[in-house]
Amino acid sequence: MSESTSLSVRPSACPGLLRIVASRDGGICRIKLPCGQLDARAARAIAEAAERHADGVLEATNRANLQIRGVHAGAERSLSADLLAAGLGPRELAADDVRNLLVSPAIGLDIATRFDAGPLARQLLDLLERTPRFHGLSPKFGVQLDGGESLAMLEHPNDIWLSAMSADEAPQLAFGVAGCPPRHARDCPPLAAVPAAQAPLLVETLLHLFLDLAGDGQTRMRHLREMLGDETLLERLRQRLPFPLCQGTAVDNWRRPATPAFAHLGIRPQRQPGRALVGAGFVLGRLDSATLLGLADLAERFSGGQLRLTPWQSLILPDVAQIDAAVVLGALGNLGLLIDAARPLSRIVACSGSSGCARGLADTKADALRLADRLRLAPPAGVHLCGCRRSCAAAHVAPYTLLAVADGRYDLFRRTDGLAGFGQPLARNLSLDAAGELLAVAGAIPDA
Ligand code: SF4
């Protein structure tokens, strides 16, 4: 890496490939993967870089990226240089932060695909990377493109979202800002819809509108939406677009079909006959470099070298021959990945906690392992252990949240419609054992 390559492109607390952020267990380097995808060669490069410049510990993020933890002091530049040399950087260095396009990990392959969003996803990524003005967006600014796949994260709010309304070659895409595609009658309807061919110009116009109107400190679409309101925002958008927006009852009443829970684990058929997706989760989102090397080998043998990360801190191997799928799933299990949705650890997420983060009030990772052991007979709907209110490990509200208040002690919340934050407080200042007892009972109660 040349001297002109800055390790701190601009001030931000978010890790990037060129911005290694200090944490309690060393530096964190985030590698943004286009559409969550990488090949075996890139996976090996990441594993080797994590061994050479860090402690060999990796993390799958909830935006389908990978990050290297424990980067050694003084090794930051060499690590970034190795990753850039492996082709894992953006087209332009300043574009690293803006590569936040969330798509289904089964894009182009899912049996429920309404349209193949792959070409449009590449167009949107290209737009974000090649437009210098967009490089100033917050590293958290995210765009979601949903092709109607059955394997899709529909709970993570994004600054802009687009979702296929029908199943055809060139569907209308409903869109909205600062939220998610609506799934229930009570959800906020889309702002409007456009034909898929007009989506790139729509997104480009929305981004320029945001950058023109957002004031100091207004870094996310929700700030603009709160300031202007939907009607004014739409009016401003209409004034800039050379085509009309589609509005009316059909758009207002459109709801995104629900997706099955835990579909990211196990074997799923593809739309391509005889092919399957094989998915497995990383225990508490972590893996080591040896595991990543093992996954690269497996991908080369069974999935044409392809690996896809998911927003559930898991991975799928695509295009596996149906006849090999069970063998591949077993091999993923042998590598230490979670392949059974019924296991409590498949339903628990935990942030870095006090072992990796100065803000953590409890060792959430260690506590999560103890909790999983307690809940082995009664897996809960989903539990998120959070070291503080920042909620790094989950971009959505989990059915149950344990929020650390002190070492080994937590407040327990239950997700509840209409209640902001983590939901309804169920109990305060619980020991882990007491929390486990309550959750074991709650496991029998359907999710709210
Ligand atoms: S949620 Fe809080 S404690 Fe956990 S990783 Fe984020 S900042 Fe650290």
Side-chain angles (χ1 to χ4, degrees):
M1 183 170 46
S2 73
E3 279 306 303
S4 63
T5 301
S6 167
L7 287 183
S8 183
V9 175
R10 60 199 166 79
S12 170
C14 277
L17 190 131
L18 304 164
R19 186 179 46 243
I20 317 293
V21 171
S23 195
R24 187 167 272 174
D25 55 345
I28 304 174
C29 174
R30 183 168 300 161
I31 305 154
K32 293 195 172 171
L33 305 169
C35 297
Q37 299 176 17
L38 76 167
D39 60 24
R41 184 197 53 79
R44 287 200 183 95
I46 294 171
E48 284 157 14
E51 278 287 323
R52 192 175 309 126
H53 304 295
D55 297 335
V57 177
L58 295 125
E59 210 158 45
T61 76
N62 56 31
R63 288 200 69 91
N65 293 315
L66 275 174
Q67 57 194 27
I68 297 174
R69 295 195 69 96
V71 178
H72 301 153
E76 295 89 345
R77 271 176 194 277
S78 311
L79 171 62
S80 298
D82 282 0
L83 295 172
L84 286 173
L88 288 158
R91 288 176 199 148
E92 298 172 37
L93 292 182
D96 188 38
D97 282 341
V98 82
R99 299 186 292 164
N100 296 328
L101 178 68
L102 185 68
V103 299
S104 164
I107 190 169
L109 310 177
D110 194 284
I111 38 170
T113 297
R114 295 189 155 208
F115 90 116
D116 181 355
L120 179 53
R122 285 189 285 280
Q123 266 182 285
L124 293 179
L125 272 173
D126 197 57
L127 169 74
L128 292 166
E129 287 198 48
R130 289 201 192 279
T131 312
R133 192 175 188 220
F134 300 158
H135 303 167
L137 289 165
S138 160
K140 294 186 188 303
F141 199 102
V143 178
Q144 178 172 19
L145 174 61
D146 166 34
E149 299 88 353
S150 60
L151 186 60
M153 170 53 78
L154 300 174
E155 295 181 301
H156 287 184
N158 277 276
D159 292 272
I160 299 172
W161 60 262
L162 303 112
S163 184
M165 292 177 66
S166 57
D168 52 62
E169 292 280 304
Q172 292 275 325
L173 296 184
F175 72 90
V177 296
C180 316
R183 288 173 294 147
H184 310 289
R186 61 179 181 266
D187 293 343
C188 192
L191 284 177
V194 296
Q198 290 171 342
L201 186 52
L202 171 78
V203 171
E204 183 176 5
T205 307
L206 266 171
L207 292 174
H208 281 300
L209 186 69
F210 170 77
L211 289 167
D212 288 343
L213 299 183
D216 283 349
Q218 294 187 315
T219 57
R220 306 293 299 274
M221 265 297 184
R222 68 173 183 275
H223 300 135
L224 194 63
R225 189 178 191 184
E226 284 161 13
M227 182 174 77
L228 295 182
D230 286 356
E231 279 313 309
T232 306
L233 185 65
L234 266 179
E235 193 45 44
R236 298 285 181 93
L237 181 61
R238 257 191 228 104
Q239 288 165 3
R240 294 179 177 217
L241 287 172
F243 51 80
L245 294 173
C246 178
Q247 288 183 281
T249 314
V251 176
D252 287 347
N253 291 343
W254 173 81
R255 292 296 179 269
R256 196 332 180 154
T259 54
F262 302 107
H264 57 287
L265 300 179
I267 299 168
R268 291 176 67 73
Q270 285 183 202
R271 61 199 288 226
Q272 293 81 6
R275 297 280 143 184
L277 305 162
V278 185
F282 300 112
V283 173
L284 302 176
R286 292 264 172 101
L287 64 157
D288 60 23
S289 48
T291 303
L292 188 53
L293 289 172
L295 290 170
D297 291 346
L298 210 52
E300 244 163 20
R301 282 181 63 203
F302 292 104
S303 63
Q306 309 171 75
L307 304 100
R308 295 185 177 195
L309 274 290
T310 85
W312 297 274
Q313 296 183 294
S314 69
L315 159 140
I316 60 174
L317 296 183
D319 276 330
V320 174
Q322 280 275 10
I323 199 166
D324 294 328
V327 171
V328 172
L329 189 65
L332 290 169
N334 290 339
L335 282 171
L337 274 68
L338 299 160
I339 56 173
D340 179 2
R343 274 189 68 188
L345 272 175
S346 299
R347 295 156 178 255
I348 295 178
V349 296
C351 74
S352 302
S354 57
S355 64
C357 174
R359 288 195 176 88
L361 296 174
D363 188 350
T364 47
K365 292 282 192 208
D367 287 347
L369 292 175
R370 286 176 52 208
L371 187 68
D373 193 45
R374 281 198 64 91
L375 293 173
R376 63 190 177 280
L377 299 178
V383 184
H384 171 202
L385 284 86
C386 223
C388 78
R389 285 198 167 270
R390 287 167 67 100
S391 191
C392 297
H396 65 290
V397 180
Y400 294 93
T401 298
L402 284 169
L403 175 64
V405 292
D407 192 20
R409 303 202 72 89
Y410 293 86
D411 288 347
L412 175 62
F413 296 83
R414 183 178 188 199
R415 182 170 68 190
T416 307
D417 279 345
L419 277 187
F422 297 121
Q424 179 193 4
L426 296 183
R428 301 284 186 189
N429 198 16
L430 294 168
S431 68
L432 197 69
D433 285 347
E437 276 170 33
L438 282 180
L439 284 165
V441 176
I445 303 170
D447 184 18

